[in-house]
Each structure stands twice: as C-alpha cells, then as structure tokens.
C-alpha cells in the first residue's frame, strides 16, 4: 500500500502516492458505511495445545467484505480505521460480537475462551476497561473467557495509565496478552512491571526457524531468551504463524506449549471451527 520514494536527503522513505491517498480516502469513507451496513464479520482461528493438538481457545479476527471490492485485508483497513478514529466504534463492535459468540458456544455446551485484538487508540480511551467489563457482563460470559491482545504500541503512551488499566483488567479476571512480541520497542525488562499473562511470539520469528544460517540461529536464541523470561515472570507463551511440522517440532523442543497457524487451521467462520470440546 505504501511505495518507496526517494526523499530529499536521498534516503528512501515510505510515502503514499496520490493514487494511494485517493484509495485510502475512498476506503475510509466506505469503512464508516460498512459498520452501519453490517459488512464486517469475525473469523476465528484456533489456538492449540501443541502436545495434544487440541483447541484451547480462539482468536477473533476482523473481516471486511466490501460490496464492490470483495474481501479487504485487515492489514489495509485497520491502519485506515486507526487514523480515522473509526477503530474505536469498530473495536466496540468486535468486542460485542466476540462475547456474543462465546455466549452462543456456551449455550451449545462449549466452553471456549476468545482472544480479541485491541488497537492502541482503543486501549487509550478513557473508560475502556469499564466498557470491556460492561460488555462481558452484558453477554453473561465468565471474565476469564476473554483475553485482550495488545501490541507493544499500546504500552508506549502513558505508562501509568496503561499499568492502571492492566491492573484493573487483571483484578477483574480479564486476561491480557502482548501480541506480535519481539517486533516492537518494549524491552524484556519492562515486562517485569506489566500485569499481563501471555506473550505471543510474532510469526516472523517462527518463519525464521526454517531459514538455515544466521537468521535461524539468532531466532532460536531469541525465542529461548523469551521463554526464559516468560518462565521467570510466570507468563504464558503462544507461537503465531506455525505453518510446518518442522517449525512445530522446534517450538515444542524449546518448550512452547500453545500455538496457532495454518498448519492447524486458518481463521474460519464460527460455525466451521472444529475440535471445540466441552472441556476447555
Ligand atoms: P494478529 O493479531 O497478529 O493476527 C494474526 C494474523 O496472522 C492474522 O492475520 C492471521 O490470519 C494470520 N495468520 C495466522 N496463522 C498464520 C500462518 O500460519 N501464516 C501466516 N502467514 N499468517 C497467519 P489477519 O487476520 O489478516 O490480521 C492481521 C492483523 O490485523 C492482526 O494481526 C491484527 O493486528 C489486526 N487485526 C485483525 N483483527 C483485528 C481487530 O478486530 N482489531 C484490531 N485492532 N486489529 C485487528
Ligand atoms: Mg492478535
Ligand atoms: Mg500477532
Ligand atoms: Mg502478527
């Protein structure tokens, strides 16, 4: 979506072209209508116990089917929704829909937890925690059935407010995870002070596990360091983007116990999620 241009100082910078800016404006306008007109849906990707290959919970992932252009990737529309602020009402919708689905599974006898992605702007809204707890209660699901996935970007602004919000969520029994871990700017030492429960190792590291050579060696050391820190801080670890048996084998050797990826299942509509049991 961004093209490379040569900047004034000769450095290559990313800057949207005129055409792209126009597409961005059009999509942003369409996004607003999309929420009103019910063009969004959620897909769910199972997170599995890597030893038993049974589903332990699911991640809700937003899908937009544009009336003219068909499915549009979150990688395209989430940034537009963040810039325009629409991510706040859109994020509310995701939270409601995910909790409603957990309730439907519950009523079908399936005890499933759901992970919901939360954008930095959404997390920074005053009253965010209150809204989350209200939503959980409105749908009558256990607080522990909801896990919020935050990115490192959400932790950068206002450290005191962030810590406070995380403490409130933890006290209420709502779980929190740090998504795409290893790609942002947070340091391992910062983790000690954050009341979160889970680290999600970004799929770029999982992918590198198979590249022979230095990238792979570095990645292996990095994953082992993350696991050591996680053990010390009593954090759970989830590996994202597992695509091959070889990656799975290596992750298991390292002691990673939970993972998700195309090897097991792509994100699917709720009705097509297999392997949910009543004993999660
Ligand atoms: P994420 O939260 O890190 O989600 C994981 C992404 O990896 C998903 O992409 C998923 O489909 C993809 N994935 C899962 N397994 C594999 C695999 O084995 N290989 C590969 N190559 N990819 C895999 P998706 O659904 O396109 O979402 C992209 C990102 O958009 C998400 O990354 C998340 O940051 C954001 N996003 C999605 N839904 C929401 C939402 O409801 N709210 C917010 N704020 N962001 C969302
Ligand atoms: Mg996520
Ligand atoms: Mg992720
Ligand atoms: Mg990711």
């Amino acid at each position: 979506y961004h093209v490379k241009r040569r900047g004034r100082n000769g450095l290559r910078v990313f800057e949207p072209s005129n055409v792209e800016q126009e597409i961005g404006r059009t999509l942003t306008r369409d996004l607003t209508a999309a929420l009103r007109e019910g063009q969004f849906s959620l897909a769910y990707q199972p997170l599995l116990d890597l030893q038993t290959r049974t589903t332990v919970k699911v991640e809700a992932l937003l899908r937009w089917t544009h009336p003219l252009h068909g499915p549009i990737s979150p990688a395209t529309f989430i940034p537009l929704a963040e810039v325009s602020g629409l991510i706040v009402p859109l994020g509310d919708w995701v939270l409601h829909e995910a909790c409603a689905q957990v309730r439907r599974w519950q009523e079908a006898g399936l005890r499933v937890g759901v992970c919901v992605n939360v954008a930095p702007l959404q997390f920074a809204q005053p009253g965010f925690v209150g809204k989350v707890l209200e939503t959980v209660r409105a749908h009558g699901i256990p607080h522990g059935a909801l896990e919020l996935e935050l990115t490192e970007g959400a932790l950068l602004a206002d450290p005191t407010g962030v810590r406070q919000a995380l403490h409130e969520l933890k006290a209420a029994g709502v779980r929190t995870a740090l998504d795409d871990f290893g790609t942002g700017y947070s340091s391992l030492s910062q983790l000690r002070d954050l009341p979160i429960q889970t680290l999600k190792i970004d799929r770029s590291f999982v992918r590198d596990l198979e590249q022979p050579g230095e990238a792979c060696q570095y990645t292996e050391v990095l994953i082992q360091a993350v696991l050591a820190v996680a053990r010390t801080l009593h954090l759970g670890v989830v590996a994202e983007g597992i695509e091959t048996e070889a990656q799975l084998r290596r992750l298991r050797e390292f002691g990673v116990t939970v993972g998700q990826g195309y090897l097991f299942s792509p994100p699917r509509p709720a009705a097509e999620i297999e392997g949910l049991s009543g004993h999660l």
Side-chain angles (χ1 to χ4, degrees):
Y1 166 68
H2 285 141
V3 287
K4 276 184 178 173
R5 289 271 190 79
R6 206 163 275 284
R8 223 186 332 174
N9 51 9
L11 290 173
R12 285 167 86 72
V13 294
F14 289 94
E15 183 184 288
S17 69
N18 288 338
V19 171
E20 287 165 334
Q21 283 183 22
E22 181 52 35
I23 292 172
R25 273 193 295 272
T26 308
L27 282 185
T28 301
R29 193 195 57 217
D30 293 353
L31 266 175
T32 314
L35 191 53
R36 257 194 337 261
E37 290 168 17
Q39 295 165 12
F40 291 106
S41 61
L42 292 183
Y44 297 88
Q45 186 178 38
L47 277 67
L48 285 87
D49 176 322
L50 297 183
Q51 293 294 334
T52 60
R53 295 205 181 204
T54 52
T55 299
V56 291
K57 54 181 115 175
V58 296
E59 177 174 4
L61 293 155
L62 191 55
R63 295 291 176 261
W64 179 21
T65 309
H66 190 285
L68 294 178
H69 309 303
I72 298 188
S73 164
T76 301
F77 73 80
I78 295 280
L80 296 173
E82 287 184 309
V83 170
S84 64
L86 192 79
I87 195 69
V88 174
L90 189 52
D92 287 349
W93 181 84
V94 171
L95 197 59
H96 268 287
E97 186 52 37
C99 290
Q101 183 56 50
V102 168
R103 177 63 189 235
R104 286 191 284 271
W105 274 321
Q106 233 178 47
E107 284 170 354
L110 305 169
R111 288 179 40 216
V112 192
V114 73
C115 305
V116 170
N117 292 283
V118 174
L121 180 67
Q122 210 186 334
F123 189 67
Q125 297 295 301
F128 172 75
V129 173
K131 194 145 77 177
V132 168
L133 300 183
E134 235 170 73
T135 308
V136 167
R137 285 179 197 132
H139 291 282
I141 64 170
H143 289 185
L146 179 65
E147 180 155 345
L148 301 179
E149 295 191 2
L150 308 167
T151 53
E152 294 166 82
L155 310 177
L156 287 178
D158 180 24
T160 321
V162 165
R163 205 160 306 153
Q164 172 73 22
L166 290 174
H167 271 295
E168 285 171 22
L169 287 167
K170 188 182 178 189
V174 173
R175 304 174 57 86
T176 49
L178 201 46
D179 204 353
D180 306 335
F181 186 70
T183 61
Y185 297 100
S186 65
S187 64
L188 288 176
S189 66
Q190 242 180 310
L191 285 178
R192 194 188 46 204
D193 305 320
L194 288 177
I196 55 166
Q197 284 80 50
T198 309
L199 295 179
K200 296 191 79 173
I201 298 179
D202 191 66
R203 73 164 186 264
S204 57
F205 299 106
V206 174
R207 188 191 52 215
D208 281 349
L209 278 181
E210 274 194 318
Q211 311 293 322
E214 262 178 55
C216 178
Q217 279 173 24
Y218 172 77
T219 296
E220 295 202 339
V221 170
L222 187 133
I223 291 179
Q224 283 169 306
V226 169
L227 286 167
V229 170
R231 264 192 291 272
T232 306
L233 299 177
H234 307 291
L235 299 175
V237 170
V238 175
E240 294 188 310
I242 305 174
E243 294 184 354
T244 68
E245 292 287 345
Q247 290 167 344
L248 171 63
R249 200 176 319 117
R250 204 76 191 106
L251 289 164
R252 281 177 51 170
E253 282 164 8
F254 288 148
V256 178
T257 56
V258 180
Q260 63 190 109
Y262 296 164
L263 176 63
F264 309 114
S265 169
R268 289 197 172 103
E272 294 168 26
I273 300 292
E274 287 162 17
L276 297 181
S277 73
H279 316 286
L280 299 175

